[in-house]
Amino acid sequence: MQHFPIFLNVQNARIVLSGGGEAALAKLRLLLKTEARVEVFATEPAAEINRWADQGRLALTRRALTSGDVAGAALFYAADEDSNEDARTAAIARTEGALVNIVDNLEDSSFITPAIVDRDPVTVAIGTEGAAPVLARAIKADLEARLSPSLGLLARIGKAFRPLAEKLPMGRKRRDFWADYYFDAGPRAFDAEGIDGAEAALDRLLNRHLGAEAQVGHVDFVGAGPGDPELLTLKARNALDRADVVIHDRLVTAEVLELARREAVLVDVGKTGFGPSTPQDRINALIVEHGLKGAHVVRLKSGDPTVFGRLDEEVEAVAAAGLGWRIVPGITAASAAVAGIGQSLTKRGRNGSVRFLTGHDMQGFAEHDWAALARAGEVAAIYMGKKSARFIQGRLMMHGAAPDTPVTAVENASQPGQRIHATSIADMARVMADVSGPALTFIGLSPRYAMLAVEPSAPKEIAL
Ligand code: SAH
């Protein structure tokens, strides 16, 4: 280890930087997070540096650094992006006793600035001694995703609570309590009720860990997105990471389920459009049953749970049972499908609103405001619209829609088997008869590339 990692106390210390361009800005963004007094010497400071100076966040001197400027400073950064100037300023800084970092010059630097994951007071410093910056970036990205943005705040609240937590016996019990707080109960309470909630959660959690309160279950209604695991939110990933039980729909893909905690029990309550399904009452009962046993239940729904997801019935059952719950939104099929055809759901001068429709409801084929939908320029995203394609076609034609109005069905949006079927109102029923996977049908949109004279390398799976 050529570089020894330490955390330097820079409270009220002086940090001097020479330079006013990009390299200076990058370092200053980090330095301004500290409690140090930051001083900048630059003949031509970037606008942002001027602004920080105006805001009193740093002291700016608009000239080149000279002898005496670094005296008494703890750290010095040579960030002029000019090797001669960097060598000149670094020599001054060394003589005046500061530790020196020359940007992009590991060799002549006495210290290096690591990649930082900032959850102050929790900070993670990642260094590769210049060997593999790509690795440092990847590790940083991984940790950024894993550590809740509220972690720093929770750590500060937790610190004040440490004496009370001593009521728990040292070792495993106390560790479990803190793990529960930092990775589960804390972030959840903070999301729902802010700082006060995060503080109150500590008391409740301590009582529970002391055995005074039974473990209360919790239900997360989580959006699994359209299938591509990369389209999950970080919150969804974290919930899956902590779940005791995952109750999921048929449309949730294997790749997404793969991310559930290894010990989690997976329950498939698959609902197919018109096919066999677990009755809704049974699903409600199942969620409540696991919740009442104290489990962390993730009710995983495809897309966004708030879109055609029968969410309200389940939330009401959970709330009536006295269980805690929250909704974690997801990317709905319409968003993934529209991205897949390179279009947008709304467009200036074309449509200022977009409708999300279901092809069928509990009564059968669903009725809608067909006259409004038949108008030129309207855009509608139809869920569960395969079996109802002929019905929708008939209704739109009856209300005067132009037969050549574009219709596009996106099958398996975001998944490896994605297929795009571009057609028109006149032909939609015939085309839709061939679609087998889940499909989202757009009325009023065609794939962007179809409008071009020359198709730019269209992905292979696209079938027109
Ligand atoms: N809550 C879900 C929708 C549930 S209804 C969401 O927000 O996306 C189920 C319907 O969603 C399917 O019949 C289909 O029309 C659509 N759907 C779900 N996933 C899809 C996907 N990957 N590609 C295309 N359509 C999809």
Side-chain angles (χ1 to χ4, degrees), residues 169-248:
M170 225 162 55
R172 171 92 196 273
K173 288 222 170 231
R174 217 182 280 172
R175 279 202 308 274
D176 285 352
F177 165 77
W178 285 116
D180 204 354
Y181 180 65
Y182 287 124
F183 295 106
D184 191 18
R188 254 196 287 123
F190 179 75
D191 278 353
E193 303 157 83
I195 296 181
D196 293 346
E199 276 170 354
L202 268 174
D203 290 316
R204 276 200 310 272
L205 195 66
L206 183 61
N207 279 336
R208 207 174 81 207
H209 280 254
L210 285 167
E213 257 175 49
Q215 158 103 7
V216 224
H218 176 91
V219 182
D220 286 331
F221 295 95
V222 176
D228 177 351
E230 282 195 291
L231 291 178
L232 278 172
T233 63
L234 289 178
K235 277 206 162 75
R237 275 211 69 162
N238 289 335
L240 282 170
D241 226 22
R242 294 183 208 124
D244 296 312
V245 182
V246 178
I247 301 178
H248 66 92

Side-chain angles (χ1 to χ4, degrees), residues 292-436:
L292 288 178
K293 280 193 206 147
H296 179 172
V297 181
V298 166
R299 172 65 174 113
L300 194 59
K301 291 169 175 288
S302 77
D304 184 286
T306 73
V307 179
F308 303 127
R310 296 232 196 161
L311 177 66
D312 301 72
E313 298 158 51
E314 295 178 12
V315 165
E316 272 154 34
V318 163
L323 295 167
W325 59 274
R326 68 170 178 166
I327 298 172
V328 177
I331 291 184
T332 191
S335 300
V338 82
I341 61 169
Q343 292 287 12
S344 61
L345 288 173
T346 61
K347 184 178 174 186
R348 267 202 301 176
R350 182 190 66 201
N351 64 314
S353 68
V354 58
R355 288 181 172 77
F356 286 10
L357 314 176
T358 173
H360 64 83
D361 57 21
M362 287 190 306
Q363 277 75 49
F365 295 141
E367 290 294 352
H368 298 283
D369 183 354
W370 301 111
L373 287 164
R375 281 199 296 263
E378 290 294 322
V379 172
I382 305 177
Y383 290 72
M384 296 168 279
K386 269 185 315 192
K387 297 231 165 55
S388 49
R390 187 166 296 285
F391 168 80
I392 293 167
Q393 177 186 46
R395 283 288 196 270
L396 287 171
M397 301 278 261
M398 197 164 83
H399 286 82
D404 62 353
T405 303
V407 170
T408 306
V410 184
E411 185 181 356
N412 296 316
S414 88
Q415 298 172 22
Q418 170 171 303
R419 276 165 60 92
I420 295 169
H421 309 267
T423 175
S424 61
I425 289 186
D427 220 16
M428 64 184 280
R430 188 185 60 78
V431 170
M432 299 290 292
D434 291 337
V435 177
S436 53

Side-chain angles (χ1 to χ4, degrees), residues 23-38:
L25 278 172
K27 286 289 178 284
L28 286 170
R29 281 192 196 102
L30 285 177
L31 295 175
L32 288 177
K33 290 173 174 224
T34 69
E35 293 173 33
R37 293 186 344 247
V38 178

